[in-house]
Amino acid sequence: MPHTKKHGVQVLDHGDTAGDPSAFSVLDDAPGPSSTGTGTRAARWLIGFALAALVVANGWLIVKSRRHVIEQTHAVNTNLARAVSEQVELSLAQVDQLLDTVVEELERADVTSDSLLRLQPVLVNHVARTEQLSGMFVYDAKGAWIATSEAKWDSSFNDAQAAYFVHHRESQSALARVGAPVRSRSSDEWVIPVSRRINDAEGRFAGVALATLSVDYYSRLLGRFNLGEGAITLTIASHYVARHPSIVTNVGQPATVLNPFVGPAGSGFGSSVSPIDGVDRFFSFERARSHPSLVIVAAGREQVLAAWRTSSWLQSLWVLLLCLALAIGLRLIQLNLRYRIRAEEGLRDAHDALAKANVQLQRIARLDSMTGLPNRGTFDRRFERAFRSSQREQEPLSIIMVDVDHFKQFNDTYGHVKGDNCLIRVAAALRTVVRRPEDLVARYGGEEMALMLRQTGAAGAASVAEAARRAVRDLAIEHAGSPLGRVTVSLGVASLIPGRDHARTDLLMSADAALYDAKRLGRDRVHVAGWDSPTLSPVHEHLQR
C-alpha cells in the first residue's frame, strides 16, 4: 500500500522552534528612537490625563462630602426639632386635659361657695403634680377670681380686659386657647396662658378656666441639649418663649422676624444668617400639630463644616503631592528613555552576534551535530505529542527502527572518519523518503535511526521502510566487512492505533523487536511486527525480502 498523506492544517511544533532567533531574544522587538519618542508623547498624555482625573475626582469627592455633611446635619436637626416639638405639644395637651376636667366639673354643678371651696385643693394638687404648670385659676363672667391654686390672692384682681378673657367671652368655641407669653400678675414670672370658656346650664358665658405654664420649664427643657455653636428656639403663638443659649430679652417678643425663613410650612430645613444673633446656621423647624408652637433647631455653619474643611485640605494636599510625584516620575521616565536609546545603539551589535550564537546553540540542542537529523531528545518530545494526538483522534501511528548492518566492522575496516561520513550519507538517504512535515526522521543513537509516520498504518509504513532500504542500498557504499559487500540497513516496523491502555513504550518495543527479527533473519530487509503482538492492530501485509 502506498504511503498516504492526510490533508489538513499543519500545526507547528512549539517544542522545535530552536532555529528561530526571534524566539529567544526580546531585543529584536526593542523600540528604536522613533518608537521611543512616540512612547514618550504617549506617556505624557497618559500622565496628563491621570493628573486631570485626580484633580476632577478630588473636587467631586470634596463637593460630595460637603453635601453629605449638610444632609447629615439637616437630618440630626430635623430629628431633634421633631422630638422637642412633640415634648412641647405633650406638655400643652396635658394641661389642656386638666382644663377639660376642671371645666366639666364646674359646668356639671352649680357654682357655689362650697363647690369652689372643694375645687381649691384640686387645683393645688394639679399644679403640684404637673411640672410645667405654674398656676390654675377660675374667673367668673365679670373677670373676678373665684378659685385659684394660689394660697393667697388679692380679691381685687380682675382679668376682664385680658386678651384670653375677651376671646372666650366673644367666642362660642369650647377649644382651649394657647396665648403668647405674659408676666404673671401673681408671681411676676413669664408664663404661657392656656384657657377654656365656661358655660352655664343654658350655654351662656359663665367665666374662664385658666392654666399658666412656666416659661422657665421650657428653658430648662431646651437647656438639656448640648449643641455647641448651635441653638434651639421655641415660639408659642408667634412669640418667643425660650431659647438655648438663652436670650432673656427676647421672651414675650413677637417672632414675626422668623416668618421669612420658616413660612407657613409644618416642617422644613434650610440655611441662613440668624435674625436673632447674626450667626450663619443650618436650621430645621417643626410645628406642633394641635397647638401654635414652633421649634427651630440650628447648627452653626462653621462648626458643621470645620471637620469637612480640614479633611478637604488634607485630601487636596495628598492629591497635590501625588500629582507632583507623577510629574517627577514622567521626568525620570524621559531621562531613562534617553539613556536607553544610547544604550540600545551599543547593544544592537552585541545582539546580532548573540542571535547567531543562539541559533547555533539551539541547533546543537535540537539536532544531531553530525548527521543534521533531529536528536533523541527531539524525537522523544515529538513522539510523545504524536502518540497523545493519535490516542485522542484514534488514528494510526507507525515507528520504523533503522540500524546500519555490520557498522562496527565498517569502523574497524575504514576508520571512524569514514564511518561518520557513512552515517551522514545514510541519514540523507532516509530523509529522501519522508516528505510530510508531520513525519520525522531522527538519529536514535549510534548507528540506529528512527522514523515516525503519523496517520500511517502498517502497510504504508512497510512501503516507506522498503523505500528507505532501497535508498541506502542504492548509495553503493563499499563495505568489505559485510557479506553483501556494500552498506545496507535493517528495518523494524510497528504500527498501532493507540487505545487507553497503550503506552508509548509498547510501540517502541514492538518496532525494536521487529528490527531484531530483521537482523536475525539475515539483515538488509524490512520486518513488520507480527499478528501475534497483543499491542498492535493487525497488519495487512508482511514484507520480507
Side-chain angles (χ1 to χ4, degrees), residues 19 153 173 185 222 245 302-303 376 392 406 437 450 455 490 494:
W153 74 87
S173 174
R185 297 177 64 184
L222 302 187
E302 289 299 322
Q303 178 186 5
R376 173 68 179 273
R392 183 173 57 255
H406 302 293
Q455 302 170 352
S490 298

Side-chain angles (χ1 to χ4, degrees), residues 101-111 198-201:
T101 303
V102 171
V103 170
E104 183 181 358
E105 182 66 26
L106 290 172
E107 290 180 344
R108 188 174 55 184
D110 293 334
V111 179
I198 303 173
N199 293 327
D200 59 16

Side-chain angles (χ1 to χ4, degrees), residues 142-165:
K142 296 180 179 180
W145 288 12
I146 57 176
T148 178
S149 61
E150 299 290 334
K152 296 180 181 180
W153 74 87
D154 188 344
S155 58
S156 64
F157 283 173
N158 189 289
D159 277 3
Q161 301 305 316
Y164 67 86
F165 194 90

Side-chain angles (χ1 to χ4, degrees), residues 109-227:
D110 293 334
V111 179
T112 63
S113 298
D114 291 338
S115 63
L116 292 174
L117 187 62
R118 291 193 302 270
L119 182 60
Q120 173 77 18
V122 174
L123 299 180
V124 172
N125 187 46
H126 284 329
V127 172
R129 288 166 43 181
T130 308
E131 183 180 4
Q132 65 270 29
L133 268 181
S134 175
M136 294 191 74
F137 310 89
V138 177
Y139 298 89
D140 63 13
K142 296 180 179 180
W145 288 12
I146 57 176
T148 178
S149 61
E150 299 290 334
K152 296 180 181 180
W153 74 87
D154 188 344
S155 58
S156 64
F157 283 173
N158 189 289
D159 277 3
Q161 301 305 316
Y164 67 86
F165 194 90
V166 174
H167 169 79
H168 290 300
R169 185 173 56 201
E170 296 177 355
S171 173
Q172 295 293 324
S173 174
L175 297 177
R177 176 186 183 275
V178 180
V182 296
R183 286 279 189 180
S184 171
R185 297 177 64 184
S186 60
S187 63
D188 198 37
E189 294 179 354
W190 282 103
V191 295
I192 301 166
V194 181
S195 54
R196 278 284 309 274
R197 174 188 172 104
I198 303 173
N199 293 327
D200 59 16
E202 297 177 0
R204 293 173 299 185
F205 177 67
V208 173
L210 172 68
T212 57
L213 281 69
S214 171
V215 168
D216 185 58
Y217 165 79
Y218 293 106
S219 296
R220 293 195 307 273
L221 174 65
L222 302 187
R224 297 174 187 172
F225 302 98
N226 181 11
L227 301 178

Side-chain angles (χ1 to χ4, degrees), residues 238-249:
S238 298
H239 286 69
Y240 290 109
V241 172
R243 184 182 186 273
H244 177 67
S246 176
I247 301 179
V248 177
T249 56

Side-chain angles (χ1 to χ4, degrees), residues 56-121:
V56 172
N58 179 62
W60 180 77
L61 287 174
I62 289 175
V63 172
K64 183 180 179 181
S65 62
R66 183 180 185 275
R67 187 184 303 117
H68 178 71
V69 169
I70 294 175
E71 289 174 354
Q72 288 293 104
T73 300
H74 284 322
V76 172
N77 288 350
T78 299
N79 290 336
L80 181 56
R82 185 168 297 130
V84 174
S85 178
E86 289 177 355
Q87 183 68 25
V88 170
E89 186 168 22
L90 181 62
S91 68
L92 293 171
Q94 187 178 8
V95 172
D96 193 1
Q97 187 176 11
L98 292 177
L99 285 176
D100 282 344
T101 303
V102 171
V103 170
E104 183 181 358
E105 182 66 26
L106 290 172
E107 290 180 344
R108 188 174 55 184
D110 293 334
V111 179
T112 63
S113 298
D114 291 338
S115 63
L116 292 174
L117 187 62
R118 291 193 302 270
L119 182 60
Q120 173 77 18

